[in-house]
Every structure is written in structure tokens, then in C-alpha cells.
Amino acid sequence: MTQNAAPETLRDEERGPGPDEGPADGDGGPADGDGGPADGDGGPPGGDDGPRPRRARRLLKWSAAALALLMIGAAGAGYLYYRQLNGNIKKEALNLGDNKVAEPTPNAAGQTPLNILLIGSDARDSEENQQLGGARETFGSTPLADVQMLVHLSADRTNMSVISMPRDTLVEIPKCTDPDDGTVYPASRGRAMTNQSLGHGGPGCTVATWQELTGIHIDHFVMVDFAGVVAMADAVGGVPVCVDANIHSRDGQGHGSGLKLEKGTHPVKGEQALQWLRTRYGFEDGSDLARARAQHMYMNSMVRQLRENATLSNPGKLRGLAEKATEALTVDPGLDTVKKLYDLSNELRKVEPERITMTTMPNRYVGARVEPTEDAEKLFRLVREDIALDGRDAAPPKAVEKPPADPSAADADIAVQVVNGTRTDALAPARGRAGTVSGLLKEKGFTGATADTGGALSEKRTSVRYPSADLEGDARRVAGVLGIPAGQVKRSTEVSGVTLVVGADWREGTRYEAPERDDTTPESAKALNGADDGACMRVDPAFTW
């Protein structure tokens, strides 16, 4: 199966219609709930438990969180005087985890990047949210972070990168502590779906989960719910979208969003805009990947419309929009006033659409779920190092690594486990590599180096891993002696001590040759440029008219 092909277990044709795309909509039955056992344990959806729950609803939230930021800015400085708007905004702690990620080093001009995590919650904590979300029996239940997008604003404010993560991504959720009542949520046993992180104390645990996975310092979060999605989508005023043929998203069994458009480019708003964001039946192969591309096109087009200020010049509309936007938001304390949100939106608006790049975290299927690939780690590294995903930046100066908080021990006191990771899809593991490299370390004074002969891994690139901050200095020392780049020194909860994994790039010899640096955005990230006004969704011939 190719990376972009949707497995049969994920196709709604076999699971039955989603609640927002067919007759099951609004029935409030168990099939509408995400919080049941089928989703809670990371196992496969559907099967005997009924149709796949509510996958399409998260699509609206994908755009609404970003739209909330843009709308607040568009409301204008005049509304900074409406103090009651501040009372609408809900606040929660930024990071509920124990581990902190160091802030990025300022550039030569003293500027630092800005990272904002946008979260779409499926909370049913109000009558309006319950009506929109269905599943009456889940009213007031633990919400899920069904939409997660990281917005990276470059230090010099010239470009913006966006990474969205599928809700079914399997990750390790760290231990989180609720600051309100002191409840401790233990770290997940193994991997769990990333959307469950919101139920471990709030959005601050989703932030902690992202930081653990990516190593990216997150400055703020913005979370929006069902009601906010609908209110703000209706207030857009019209966003141009394109289809390459007539489309009617409805099949013989009533499945589909109901979207009906003629071939070409048309502005959509209100209910029709929601239909566009929800449509899966009729777009390309009918998968969520196709639907995500439609969302990317919509978001980019919306940003262009807002920058042109074509529909947001009426003070009355702006006031209502500001009220709806603030009522829909939950933010960290760093964004808890309209002025702070306005200032943030001004920073975001400095970026021209042609310097905005939207991507999806590269992933591969694990049963019915997905996991990050090596390309995902590359994408995270580019963001960590503030490298524009559109490839238009000049070659960055060599990064100056911050010294670790805990310096390394003496070489002879550093215990290093060496693992053979040279196996590839085409080649068996290179025999004796763990023993050869551990012997090389001993020759260099690391007398505590040992070879792990228990089995062979499959790693494309050699790396040094360490489990906790107090061993970072030791890991860096080992890497430095062998000539392994600092970017290949990684923190990992999968190891118990400093571990050198000899990858397929070092199958022979006693000298490591560092690979040539590659700062291009992986093709698997499916990058879409914000200025691409010629993008058009391909219509499935079975849904044309």
C-alpha cells in the first residue's frame, strides 16, 4: 500500500455513513460517539461496534481555529475598547506536562519564531454544541482534540508554515497534571490516539504531547468548539473554491454532505461553506486525504479574501464577528485578552499568502491508525530550525547549539549501549556492527560501551538517543566524538540510557560520514502554497451531474 492510499478499513462505504454525511445524522445513537472503547484503546474502528463515528465533523474545526485568529485581527483596533469581549474568552494553562522544551535561540536581529497550536474540540458542553455534534448520550463527556494544527511564524515574520496532524495518529501521551484540581493523568501505556490528549487535563496536555513528539517549543494554543466553527464559517462572507466538474455530494443511499456546485470557481458561504469543508463523497478517491486537500484550498482562499478586506468593512458585522469569535475560543494566559489576540493577528498578517505553506504530517498506516514517518521528523526539524517550507529562504547560517543543562560526565563514566540498526527492506543487517562500533568507542575512551546483540533494528540514519535531560550532555559527547551531527541526537522514551543506533548509512568502516544536509520539504507532506489560486478539486465521475 502506498502512503497516500486509504486502507479499506478506513473507507466509510464499508463502515456505513458518517453522522454528518447521511441519514444517520442527528440520530444521537452510539455510532455518533468518539469516546467509546473502539476509539479509546487505539484499536481499529467500526467492525461489530457500528459505523465509524463523526470523522467529518472535525473538518470544520480544522479551519475554524485558524479563522478565529484571523477574524479577531480583522475586527480592527476599534474593538479593543470593548472590554466585555475579554470576558468571553476562556483561559487554560499552556503546558500540563513535566518536561519543557527550550525556546529557540534568537536570530542575529534578536528575533525568535512563534509557534501556535490550533485545536478543534468536539466538546458537547452546551446545548448548541450538543445539537451540532449529535450523540446525546455523550453530553458533557470528555472532549477529544479532533483537529490539531501547528502554525509556525518565522523569526523574521516573512513566512509561515502549518503542520496538521491526523486525529488517529498514534503517539505517547506524557504524564499531565490538571492545575485546577491537581489530578494526575499518567502517561499512556504505549501509544494512544493523539486526540485523546485533550481529555488528560485539557489543551495543555495536547501541547505537552506535541512538544514531546516534535521537540518544538510551543508559545500559545487556541482552541475552538462546534458552535464557534459554525458561527465563524457563516461570517466569512464568501470564499472562492474550485471544482473541475459539476459535483453533487450525495449517493443513492443518501451519503454525502449535499454540496452541489457547477464546474469552475464559485464563492461559498454559510451552509455551503460547511458542506465544502465536510465533503468526502465526490472529491477524488473519497478519502480523508482528499477532503484535507479541499480544506487546504479553502483556508488559503479565505486568507486571501480576508487580506483583501472585501467583506469585513461593516462595523456592525465586525462587532458581531468579534463577539462570536471570542465566545468560541479557549486560549492560554498569554492570549487571554482581545488586545493580545489582536497583536498576534497583526504578526500573522505580516506574511504574504505566497509565503504561507500548509502541510500534513507525513504518516503511514498502522492497521486503521497512522504513525509519523521519518519524513515527519524531517518536517519537525525544519520547523525547529526555522527553515521556510517553501524553500525560498537563503541558506541559513550554521546553527549554534545551546549547551545542555547538565554537562557530560567523563568519557569513561558514560554508559553507552550500541544497537545494530542496519537492516533495510532490501538488505539483511550488517553482521557485527554493534560490536565493531562499541569497540571503536572503547578505543576512544568510552570503556562503558557495550554491544546489544539481542536483535537488529531498521534505521535509515545513525542516531544517538537518550531518555532524560540529565543524559543529554552524555549523548552529545558520544555523537561529537564519532562525528554524528547534533541533529541526529534525539530524546526518546524508548531507551533507558544513552543508546547509539548504528543505521543503514553506516554499514561498514570505523568512520561515520555525515549525510549531506537536506532542507527541502518532503513531498509526502503534500505542501500547498497560500497564493495558489489555481488549485481545483478533482471530482469523482460517480458524483457529477
Side-chain angles (χ1 to χ4, degrees), residues 2-21:
T2 61
Q3 179 173 323
N4 293 327
E8 293 302 315
T9 53
L10 289 180
R11 296 187 64 85
D12 286 12
E13 288 82 346
E14 296 188 10
R15 290 194 299 267
D20 54 352
E21 291 199 320

Side-chain angles (χ1 to χ4, degrees), residues 135-181:
R136 295 177 181 85
E137 78 283 354
T138 63
F139 181 80
S141 63
T142 302
L144 299 169
D146 274 355
V147 176
Q148 300 174 37
M149 298 170 54
L150 181 68
V151 176
H152 172 81
L153 184 61
S154 66
D156 61 7
R157 304 305 189 250
T158 63
N159 66 88
M160 185 190 304
S161 303
V162 180
I163 302 175
S164 60
M165 183 190 299
R167 69 188 285 273
D168 291 345
T169 303
L170 296 176
V171 297
E172 293 183 353
I173 300 175
K175 184 185 80 172
C176 292
T177 304
D178 189 327
D180 294 331
D181 58 15

